[in-house]
Amino acid sequence: METIVVTGTSSGFGRMLVHELAKSGLYSVIAAMRNSTAQNNAIKKELEELPGVKVVEMDVTSDEQVAKITAQILEEFQSIDVLINNAGVFGGGLLEAHSIQQVHRLFEVNVYAPLRLMKAVLPSMRSRQDGLIITMSSMLGFFSIPLNAVYSASKFALEGLVTGSYPELIQKGVESILVEPGSFPTELYQKAGIKADLAGVTASYDGMAEQMTTYANVKVSEALKKHQPKPEEVVTKIISLIAMEKGSRPLRNPIDQISGEAFSNQVAEELNTLARKQMAAYGF
């Protein structure tokens, strides 16, 4: 039975994914979350009641904790066959209104944490010449929009880390791929997140940030209401990727039910085509 580690399981896609993986009965599922003995304790108990699920306390921003929990999982289950880097945080606000410390905080969760988990599991995966890493990115890892520049930058960074390392890792038997959801009605947008923290700078824009935020919230809400995208479809996509044979999984897997499947696929295909052309121009 394969062992799957999922981060960020206290809400959203992570929580739903643990339920669906447990329902299949095919995997041992390690559900990692923060604050499992405090505000997330009820969710911990909920997930622990599922067959084949073990909940672990993990702060993905801690080198020490990630290393310790990874070692414990490997000792108990002998292998980590699949890592799903799902933990993440949303952010918003004017670029100038983010302190450098706030940008660091957002990157710590959205960029360094997935990289930290990858580095923790890769030695054991490489030694077995087998493993799958699925990292949750975003359609905002392709396109950056006003008030989301810092968040998009974190997802752009993830795209670069995964796409650049794919050829390195596949030669060692490890497949590392991306899933890029569009807007879905999950708790991500309701949480406080890590947002612009320099109120004085925001105020100096004479209400522009507030106007743009209100406008964007209305338009996104209208789009969600019109198209009613289902978060379950993202979970289904991830599970289907796990079931595929190594080497057959697409590197990029955008899924946006608002812009549409055809558009999402076009984005991935054109990026892959352009990347191949550029590499060919340099003789690779």
Side-chain angles (χ1 to χ4, degrees), residues 149-254:
V150 176
Y151 176 77
S152 288
S154 72
K155 296 302 183 177
F156 273 49
L158 275 185
E159 295 282 322
L161 287 172
V162 175
T163 57
S165 64
Y166 181 92
E168 303 168 3
L169 297 176
I170 196 65
Q171 295 184 64
K172 294 297 183 180
V174 181
E175 200 162 21
S176 180
I177 62 175
L178 293 152
V179 172
E180 298 111 336
S183 292
F184 286 85
T186 69
E187 296 93 333
L188 179 68
Y189 304 112
Q190 280 74 55
K191 292 185 175 181
I194 299 175
K195 300 178 181 179
D197 57 328
L198 301 179
V201 175
T202 298
S204 72
Y205 277 71
D206 302 318
M208 187 184 80
E210 291 81 1
Q211 292 171 17
M212 293 175 72
T213 298
T214 299
Y215 181 82
N217 287 342
V218 169
K219 291 303 178 182
V220 171
S221 295
E222 289 176 351
L224 290 170
K225 184 176 180 180
K226 177 181 178 180
H227 296 278
Q228 298 185 4
K230 298 175 176 57
E232 296 81 7
E233 294 298 319
V234 176
V235 172
T236 299
K237 180 71 170 180
I238 294 170
I239 292 175
S240 71
L241 288 166
I242 294 171
M244 293 174 70
E245 291 186 12
K246 186 193 302 182
S248 66
R249 301 177 180 102
L251 171 58
R252 291 185 173 94
N253 296 274

